[in-house]
Amino acid sequence: MRPHPSSPSEPAESAAANLTGLLLNERWEVLGRLPASEDRTDSVFSVGYVVRDRDGHLAFCKAMDFTSAMGPEVDNPEEELKRLADAYIFERDLVRLCGDRRMSRVVRCLDDGRVRVPELVSFLVFEKADVDGRDVVDEIDLTDCLTAPRLGHACAAALAQLHGCNIAHQNTKAATPLAWQPPGTLKFTGNPRQPPRAPPLTLDTPLPQPTT
C-alpha cells in the first residue's frame, strides 16, 4: 500500500485509492488506476482500476469509496454511510440479476467482493470495453449512415432486456453504451434502477393513451 501524504495540508487518500498491486479474490491482479480521462465510473464514490486475471484477460474494477460519508461537511455521517452502502449493495445485486438472466446487451459483472488494505474496500469487476459511446460518436464520419443507427439499436436492445426484468434506466447518455473491437460489439452500462411494485415493461407493451 502506498503511504499516505505526510503533509497535513494534503488530504489523505482513501483505502479505495490504494489497491494497485493487490490480488483480488485470488484471481484479479490490480495493474493500476485508470487515468481520469478513462475512468468511466462517473462517480466521486468509486475509483476505477485495470485488473488482469490469471489467463491475461483485462477487466475493469470499480472500488467503492465510502470515506466521503465521514467528511467534515456531512451533517449525518451514519445516514450518509448507509446510503452509500445501500447503493453499492443494490448495484451488486442488480448486476448479478442481469448476469443470471443472461442479458447479452448489458455489460457483465465478472466478480465482486471485499479486500482489506487495511480498511475493507468493496469492489465490482466488469468486462473492460475499448471505448464508450462518446468515442464512437467522435469517430463517425458525416457520410456514415450505419454507425449511429447501430449505436441507437444497441441501446434500444439493452433497454428492452432491462425493461423485460422490470428494471428502468435513468441515465441513458452518450457515455452509457460501450464498444469493443472488432467493430460491431456494443453493450450497455450506467445507472439502472428497479422501481418497487412497477409492472414489467417490454417494447411490446402498449403505451398509455392520453386522456381527453
Side-chain angles (χ1 to χ4, degrees):
M1 186 176 71
R2 295 192 300 270
H4 292 298
S6 57
S7 171
S9 63
E10 297 179 7
E13 285 190 314
S14 68
N18 288 277
L19 302 191
T20 299
L22 298 182
L23 187 65
L24 308 180
N25 285 357
E26 299 184 353
R27 177 183 178 187
W28 305 99
E29 178 189 2
V30 184
L31 301 182
R33 290 173 62 172
L34 284 174
S37 60
E38 299 179 21
D39 190 346
R40 307 305 194 192
T41 58
D42 196 28
S43 172
V44 297
F45 306 122
S46 61
V47 181
Y49 290 89
V50 176
V51 297
R52 179 176 59 198
D53 67 10
R54 298 182 186 279
D55 296 323
H57 299 132
L58 298 180
F60 167 71
C61 176
K62 180 178 181 180
M64 309 309 297
D65 182 4
F66 297 149
T67 56
S68 61
M70 302 299 175
E73 72 283 356
V74 178
D75 295 328
N76 193 330
E78 296 85 1
E79 287 296 325
E80 181 65 8
L81 184 60
K82 181 180 182 299
R83 184 184 71 83
L84 295 179
D86 286 346
Y88 164 75
I89 293 171
F90 176 80
E91 181 177 5
R92 181 200 64 193
D93 292 347
L94 192 58
V95 295
R96 285 177 177 176
L97 172 65
C98 293
D100 292 343
R101 297 297 179 89
R102 300 184 183 278
M103 297 186 189
S104 59
R105 289 291 187 173
V106 178
V107 173
R108 286 188 304 149
C109 182
L110 306 176
D111 205 352
D112 63 76
R114 292 175 296 277
V115 62
R116 190 174 292 278
V117 281
E119 298 91 345
L120 277 175
V121 175
S122 301
F123 62 86
L124 300 167
V125 178
F126 294 92
E127 297 174 291
K128 185 180 185 301
D130 295 317
V131 296
D132 68 20
R134 292 171 292 188
D135 302 303
V136 175
V137 171
D138 288 342
E139 294 298 323
I140 293 179
D141 187 88
L142 293 178
T143 61
D144 187 347
C145 299
L146 297 177
T147 301
R150 281 179 45 246
L151 187 63
H153 175 267
C155 293
L159 288 170
Q161 290 181 344
L162 292 169
H163 292 169
C165 291
N166 194 28
I167 299 171
H169 197 286
Q170 64 197 37
N171 196 26
T172 306
K173 57 186 179 183
T176 304
L178 303 178
W180 281 257
Q181 297 296 335
T185 306
L186 287 161
K187 293 188 179 182
F188 206 63
T189 186
N191 296 315
R193 59 188 177 91
Q194 199 165 25
R197 297 183 299 278
L201 174 67
T202 69
L203 292 185
D204 296 326
T205 303
L207 296 175
Q209 299 299 313
T211 57
T212 57

